[in-house]
Amino acid sequence: MKLRKTFFLYINLFLLFHSFNSQAQTARTEETDNIREKIEIIKKYLFENNSWYISNSRFKRDVEDLIYFVEKQNLDSVITKVGDFNYNEAEIISRPPSFFADTLNIKGFIPSDVVRKKVLELRNSVTKEFLKNDLQVPAELLTGMDMKAGIIPQEEGMRLFTDSIYHLPDSLLFLDAIPETMVQTAEDFRRILKLDSIRDAIVEKYRVRFNDSIVSAYRDSVLAGYRNEALEANVEKRIQQYTDSVHRHNQNLIELRNREVTDAVNDTLKNAISVLLQYANSVDTVDISIANLFNESIGLTLGDRYQQYGRLWLKNEQNDSISILVTNPDKRSLKLLLNDNITFSRISQPQSKEIQISNFEHTSGLRNIEKRFKVETPWSIGGDGTVGLTQTYLSNWKKGGQSAVSMLIVLKGFANYSALNNKIKWENSMEIRNGWMKPGGKDENDERYESQKNDDKFELISRFGVSAFKKWYYSAEIDFQTQFFNGYKYPTSVNPEPISAFMAPSKTLFKLGLDYKPNSNLSIFLSPITSKTVFVRDTLKINKSNYNIAAGKRSLWIPGLNAEVKYKTDLTEDISYETKYKMFMNYTKPFERFDVDWENLVVMKVNDYINMRFMLHLIYDDDILFPVYDKEGNETGKKPKLQVKELITVGFSYKINKKVYKARNIN
């Protein structure tokens, strides 16, 4: 009975071990297959497909080393380099939209057969519409019709009969010689003369009829030719507009879809690389040895799959010792632990030092309390925000008008640093403005009643100055300006094309010069070294020629001179005025091309939280071009124009002005 129990125990242990071994082997097989799959994904996109471009060649080499490590299992440095690269935020690969081949499966993509069908329909509809309208023919085409048609002169009327175009009656035919028998009396002679006059009248009648017919035919041919040319030009113009819009539409869809595919592929690659890194960290190990002062050592294997423990006695020169427990939390770190009950052993006798304690003398009276700290305020932060709302409702209003709702948000902030000795000043400011208007109407789908933007600005300015002499500072400034939302030419169409967008354009000015600051309300900044950069992020959606950017480029760089004046004053206790004037002169064409940006703001305080603002903003920029049209409405070119914006708003306002304090020990 005892032998049977022992036999069954061995059998159970064998089956249990075999089960664990099979499960471990199955897990290793599944893990190996998963690693092989991830390697194939990375090789497919990074090394085998020429239509994808690697954004960082060094990262590609590191990934090659990582794959080599996973396949060959060596070099811990490869894991470190790949792990240090921030591939979760960076884009690993990219692809031009022109390499996207599966365009017909894109939702909303317009194929060529649909375009051809639409072109035929458009040609027919434009032709019908064109033929319904009267056509104004230029007067120069109808002048000199008689000579152009080749009419018969009066003296050559008989050509119509000699060329057999018309025929005379036999009684009116000319005789080569008049017989004497026909002219016997004066009456016969008068009869012959009468026949000549009749013949001349008939010839003239037919000549006039013939001339009228050929002039009419020539006029009809001229009109038909001009009409056909005008019709064809109109048809081609409409077809070109349609095909251009289809091309832009399809291109936008391709770019969007290509971006989605690129993001998905990047996510797949990032996941595959993460799996490889985890696997590499888990299988790679490092053997180390830890020794104490007397070279007594223990060995540990650092790895992520399992932990090892070892005990070591730390000793000093007096052979004092303490026991510690050493373990590895992961492959790259060690942890030292002390036991709960620590035992110190000392072989040598402890040393002692005599200390003499003397009596403390009592001092009479109290000493003066000295000032130990001084408060500095180098930083000051603040700003203000305003939200203005305007609502108008009209119903059966005889004087006319239109209901409307408008909103304007203005946010300003600053963070300024000023050293106590006024030798260094660092001024930082930010301004955000955004306003919208919603006209009221019965038909909400009508273009005239769509929401319209009336203000949009984002500006960051940072100026650093070092004292030069008296109130002057050597200063450097960076001024960045752009907008948040798309801008359109209102009212918009069904598929509007924006004329501006975020970072399209953006303007960056870097300035070096002198800043005159006699007080906190006035600043005059002269920077003879100024760099102006105009950048358009999306040149497909935004017409960069409106910002004087050449073909094939996305930015415009101009050196020049900048002059800037800022002034702020309180007109009364509740009314303040602020003006900012900026002037930029282009060095490439001095005294010919100027940029002017002038803002004027008047704030009238109603109470602590409500105020009224009046703003007048004037801009003239040589690099911002507007189309110019002739009397017929045709675009003849582009040129810069004065831009004017005026806003009056009443709204809620909140202001912050705070100093940052810092304590300094002066003892």
Side-chain angles (χ1 to χ4, degrees), residues 38-39 42-49 54 56-75 77-79 81-83 85 92 269 273 276-277 280:
K38 302 305 181 183
I39 291 176
I42 296 174
K43 287 183 176 180
K44 175 182 177 182
Y45 287 103
L46 292 186
F47 311 118
E48 298 177 359
N49 196 328
I54 311 302
N56 190 305
S57 59
R58 180 178 178 181
F59 179 71
K60 177 183 176 182
R61 292 194 301 269
D62 294 340
V63 174
E64 285 182 309
D65 294 339
L66 175 63
I67 294 177
Y68 180 81
F69 161 74
V70 173
E71 293 179 338
K72 305 297 181 181
Q73 294 195 1
N74 63 353
L75 294 185
S77 60
V78 177
I79 307 173
K81 290 190 292 185
V82 176
F85 183 79
I92 300 176
L269 289 174
I273 293 172
L276 295 186
L277 283 175

Side-chain angles (χ1 to χ4, degrees), residues 399 527 565 597:
K399 295 182 180 180
S527 53
V565 178
D597 189 334

Side-chain angles (χ1 to χ4, degrees), residues 479-506:
D479 186 351
F480 173 80
Q481 303 176 28
T482 186
Q483 62 188 55
F484 285 105
F485 304 97
N486 290 350
Y488 301 91
K489 185 177 181 180
Y490 296 105
T492 60
S493 58
V494 178
N495 295 314
E497 294 184 4
I499 59 177
S500 61
F502 176 72
M503 295 289 291
S506 67

